[in-house]
Amino acid sequence: MGWLWAIIVGFVLGLLAKAILPGKQHMPLWLTTVLGIIGGVVGNSLAAGFGIAETRGIDWGRHALQIAAALVLVFLGDMAYKAVKGKKQVT
């Protein structure tokens, strides 16, 4: 059951990251979900390193770190996806 939650949370984190980032991201939904899952894992690891992984109530710090990690990964993943697909980024 843990893998199902990882997919659901990764999907939500990936979509939140795409919504927060400016402009249009060109990568497919499956890649967004995978990067969201990785962002969730990285955010949990950072929270454990900072000692805020398990707190009473809602773990706002852990969630903020998960979203921040997903933002970075979706941004970098979109750049890599565009480079592989040959789409030039307009500045």
Side-chain angles (χ1 to χ4, degrees):
M1 190 69 163
W3 60 270
L4 181 61
W5 278 112
I7 293 170
I8 292 169
V9 169
F11 178 72
V12 171
L13 284 172
L15 288 181
L16 280 172
K18 279 183 92 166
I20 292 171
L21 287 172
K24 181 174 174 19
Q25 290 76 39
H26 298 91
M27 63 185 167
L29 190 58
W30 68 267
L31 185 56
T32 304
T33 303
V34 169
L35 293 174
I37 291 169
I38 296 169
V41 171
V42 169
N44 282 341
S45 297
L46 289 173
F50 291 135
I52 59 171
E54 295 295 326
T55 59
R56 279 194 239 165
I58 299 174
D59 296 329
W60 293 111
R62 180 172 55 106
H63 297 315
L65 289 171
Q66 288 175 331
I67 291 174
L71 277 167
V72 170
L73 289 172
V74 168
F75 175 74
L76 295 175
D78 187 54
M79 287 177 46
Y81 184 80
K82 284 190 280 191
V84 168
K85 290 296 181 179
K87 296 178 182 176
K88 299 290 183 189
Q89 186 176 4
V90 179
T91 57

